[in-house]
Each structure stands twice: as structure tokens, then as C-alpha cells.
Amino acid sequence: MSTEGECVSEKLRVEVLGKGESRWATNAHEFDSPEEATTFAHDLYSRWGMVESLRVVPVSRPRGEHYEPGSDDPELLRVPVPLFDLGHLVATPGAIEVIERRGINVRFLLVRPVTGDWGDVDDEDKARLDQAVINGTRILSAYGPEDDPDRLYVITEAGRSSTTILLPGEY
């Protein structure tokens, strides 16, 4: 695997051990980084009460393995606490088109900024956004490389009255 913030050469998946089950289960979701897989695992655990254990594994790992004690990641069962309210949620037509065309899970997208994952911004911007949470000022996260026409901004206004998903050209 790789260190935080880096992409891995092989895609990852999240495996779930349901309560009372003896084998790991998975779905078709694949992730490019440990952070994306972890965010998905946290979101899944927050919504599904039947989760006993979770783990992130490479997609090449065989499916349906028997559960072995210690093969899970207990940290994935810790749901991150939201850092701020999103307020009223809206998306621009351009963002909606990208979301639909790329099959982006909006809930997954919104979990990222609200838990402090500012996306594809530099360290200076990350520090500024950390301060914006404390100060209650505007938060602008960016997801996707700068040259990607499908890059999305997620902007939460000062006062936390609303959050907008939009394309950079719609800013």
C-alpha cells in the first residue's frame, strides 16, 4: 500500500463482515486511494447497523475469505465527527451533469469536506481551510486535478447557511 495522500498502483475495495457472518463481503466499488476507501468505509458504517468489522484490501485479493481475528481494521469503525454543518445543499447544472455522468456518490463527496478532507489543494490552502472551520469563514474544497474538466468545487458559505457543488468555471 501507500502512504497518506498518494494513489496506489492497484485499486482498493472495502470489505464488510456482517454481524453473525463468518466471511467477508464486498460490492463493486473500487477506490484509487486509502483515503477514499476509508471515507467510504466510515460512511457505510455510519448508515448500516449490521457491520461487525471492516477492512480495506487490494481488489486482487480473493473475495469471500473467512474472517480471521485481527484481519480487520478497528479504526474503520470509528465514524468521523462532522466539523461543521453544510446548511442548505445545492448543485449547479454543470456539477449535476458531471455527477450523473461519472456516477459520483454525492453523499460520499460531501463527507469529505465536512470531515476535513479538503481534496486536491496545496498545504497552504489546507491550513487556511482548517482555520476557516475554526473562524466560521467560507470553505472551498476542490476534488480532481486542476486540469480535469470534471473537477468539482464544494463551497460552504460563512455562517454555514449553504453548501454548493459547482465546476470551477461556474465559480
Side-chain angles (χ1 to χ4, degrees):
M1 288 239 208
S2 138
T3 60
E4 186 174 322
E6 295 178 7
C7 287
V8 291
S9 58
E10 181 177 3
K11 292 206 179 260
L12 302 169
R13 72 173 185 254
V14 173
E15 292 191 331
V16 179
L17 182 70
K19 291 184 179 176
E21 298 295 323
S22 61
R23 291 185 179 272
W24 290 101
T26 189
N27 60 30
H29 292 289
E30 295 181 357
F31 304 95
D32 293 322
S33 71
E35 293 77 26
E36 289 177 353
T38 298
T39 300
F40 178 82
H42 285 233
D43 182 55
L44 179 64
Y45 181 61
S46 75
R47 293 183 290 119
W48 192 40
M50 297 300 294
V51 174
E52 175 118 357
S53 293
L54 291 163
R55 69 180 182 182
V56 175
V57 298
V59 296
S60 62
R61 189 168 190 150
R63 293 177 184 261
E65 291 180 323
H66 277 284
Y67 170 75
E68 296 291 332
S71 65
D72 57 336
D73 184 351
E75 277 298 303
L76 294 176
L77 299 179
R78 187 181 54 77
V79 177
V81 176
L83 299 173
F84 56 90
D85 290 328
L86 294 170
H88 182 73
L89 301 173
V90 295
T92 63
I96 292 168
E97 188 277 327
V98 168
I99 290 165
E100 289 175 350
R101 180 171 39 81
R102 303 239 353 235
I104 295 171
N105 180 327
V106 175
R107 182 180 171 118
F108 175 69
L109 176 65
L110 293 172
V111 164
R112 294 182 68 185
V114 83
T115 57
D117 174 356
W118 309 124
D120 301 297
V121 298
D122 62 30
D123 290 340
E124 185 177 313
D125 283 338
K126 287 177 185 177
R128 183 184 52 76
L129 291 165
D130 289 340
Q131 276 301 297
V133 170
I134 295 165
N135 299 334
T137 55
R138 187 180 217 199
I139 296 171
L140 188 156
S141 339
Y143 303 96
E146 283 188 41
D147 59 349
D148 184 349
D150 291 341
R151 178 179 173 103
L152 293 171
Y153 284 171
V154 177
I155 301 174
T156 301
E157 296 301 331
R160 312 301 180 245
S161 61
S162 66
T163 296
T164 305
I165 304 170
L166 67 159
L167 299 175
E170 298 173 315
Y171 182 62

